């Protein structure tokens, strides 16, 4: 199996963590999906990573779809809870964490444009989603060790990836100070092997033509 990733991507990171947790061997291919020469062309019509390439090279894309696929392929350890209620709770946390990351990407890209072309309204709109999304995560975590039930799940993978993506691309938001429970949660989990092995790294992307 091969996985096409970008090194800063929180979405690719979710899948990299899942593969490590499940001890599935794979080859990593590093792409920069924003650049002209991205290898996503003809593989994912949306031009986005992560993309899992199966042995026959069939592509599976979108971190949620890939991780559910992996959970079926190798059910242990389970990432998506089997109880209906917990499954929905975990997916809601995943959706909010992913949505925060989407907004961070949009702010990052907007700030790459020439100053006179940037929309303050657009940036404010995205920042509101980031702040309210993190507040939602904090309120749902409370003082627990894991987001859902007593087990590590996709909710933890998504939230952890999201928090460290904020540190990389939106450091002006001091979430540790504002949400002490998330800071405690981060300190509890940051030593996890799969988290340590997948720390996000910035990539240089080509400037966006106006
Ligand atoms: N919903 C997708 C989001 C993936 C995504 O936005 N990937 C970004 C990198 S962080 C990308 O490849 N963007 C390239 C583009 O939009 O052209 C997932 O969960 O996999």
């Amino acid at each position: 199996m091969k996985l096409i990733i970008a090194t800063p991507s929180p979405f690719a990171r979710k899948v990299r963590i899942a593969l490590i947790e499940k001890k599935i061997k794979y080859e990593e291919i590093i792409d920069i999906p924003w650049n002209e020469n991205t290898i996503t062309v003809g593989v994912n019509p949306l031009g986005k990573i992560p993309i899992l390439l199966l042995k026959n090279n069939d592509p599976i894309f979108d971190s949620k779809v890939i991780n559910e696929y992996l959970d079926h392929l190798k059910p242990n350890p389970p990432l998506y809870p089997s109880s209906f209620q917990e499954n929905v709770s975990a997916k809601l946390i995943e959706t909010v964490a992913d949505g925060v990351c989407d907004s961070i990407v949009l702010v990052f890209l907007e700030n790459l444009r020439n100053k006179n072309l940037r929309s303050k309204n657009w940036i404010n709109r995205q920042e509101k989603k980031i702040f309210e999304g993190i507040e939602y995560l904090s309120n749902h975590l409370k003082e627990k060790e894991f987001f859902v039930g007593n087990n590590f799940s996709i909710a933890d993978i998504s939230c952890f990836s999201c928090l460290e993506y904020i540190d990389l691309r939106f450091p002006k938001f001091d979430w540790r100070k504002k949400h002490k429970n998330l800071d405690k949660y981060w300190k509890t989990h940051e030593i996890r092997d799969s988290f340590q092995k997948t720390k996000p790294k910035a990539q240089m992307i080509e400037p966006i033509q106006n």
Side-chain angles (χ1 to χ4, degrees), residues 7-69:
T7 57
S9 170
F11 307 104
R13 190 179 187 195
K14 287 166 59 194
V15 178
R16 295 160 72 202
I17 292 168
L19 285 159
I20 294 172
E21 291 291 335
K22 289 178 177 291
K23 297 191 172 56
I24 298 174
K25 286 213 169 75
Y26 72 104
E27 181 190 328
E28 221 161 63
I29 301 173
I30 297 175
D31 186 40
I32 304 182
W34 307 102
N35 287 0
E36 205 73 52
N37 64 351
T38 170
I39 59 173
T40 58
V41 177
V43 186
N44 175 354
L46 304 177
K48 297 185 183 191
I49 56 87
I51 304 170
L52 185 72
L53 297 173
L54 303 183
K55 275 198 185 118
N56 61 4
N57 273 338
D58 272 356
I60 300 186
F61 39 81
D62 193 285
S63 59
K64 287 182 183 166
V65 180
I66 300 173
N67 276 348
E68 289 218 54
Y69 172 85

Side-chain angles (χ1 to χ4, degrees), residues 65-194:
V65 180
I66 300 173
N67 276 348
E68 289 218 54
Y69 172 85
L70 293 175
D71 232 18
H72 279 89
L73 188 74
K74 193 164 181 209
N76 272 316
L79 298 180
Y80 289 87
S82 53
S83 113
F84 179 58
Q85 199 63 52
E86 290 194 347
N87 187 286
V88 173
S89 301
K91 283 181 179 166
L92 278 174
I93 298 297
E94 179 179 29
T95 296
V96 172
D98 283 8
V100 167
C101 294
D102 282 330
S103 290
I104 294 172
V105 170
L106 292 175
V107 171
F108 178 73
L109 291 176
E110 189 69 15
N111 282 327
L112 288 184
R113 305 178 79 201
N114 284 344
K115 245 191 176 138
N116 61 323
L117 293 172
R118 290 177 204 163
S119 162
K120 194 70 202 136
N121 275 350
W122 176 252
I123 291 175
N124 286 344
R125 197 183 163 89
Q126 300 310 321
E127 289 192 351
K128 187 168 183 289
K129 296 178 205 294
I130 298 169
F131 297 134
E132 293 188 4
I134 294 300
E135 186 149 352
Y136 177 98
L137 296 178
S138 170
N139 290 341
H140 279 73
L141 177 66
K142 304 190 179 73
E143 295 303 322
K144 293 180 292 163
E145 185 180 349
F146 300 108
F147 269 95
V148 180
N150 295 318
N151 297 303
F152 182 76
S153 75
I154 189 63
D156 301 295
I157 294 177
S158 307
C159 179
F160 197 90
S161 299
C162 172
L163 292 176
E164 290 200 339
Y165 192 57
I166 296 176
D167 291 341
L168 183 76
R169 290 287 197 228
F170 195 62
K172 76 168 191 183
F173 179 21
D174 191 352
W175 56 270
R176 290 181 169 80
K177 195 162 158 202
K178 181 132 205 309
H179 300 290
K180 297 272 186 281
N181 65 333
L182 288 177
D183 183 38
K184 186 171 152 218
Y185 172 84
W186 180 84
K187 286 180 177 133
T188 305
H189 293 284
E190 63 109 9
I191 50 164
R192 197 177 183 95
D193 188 50
S194 58

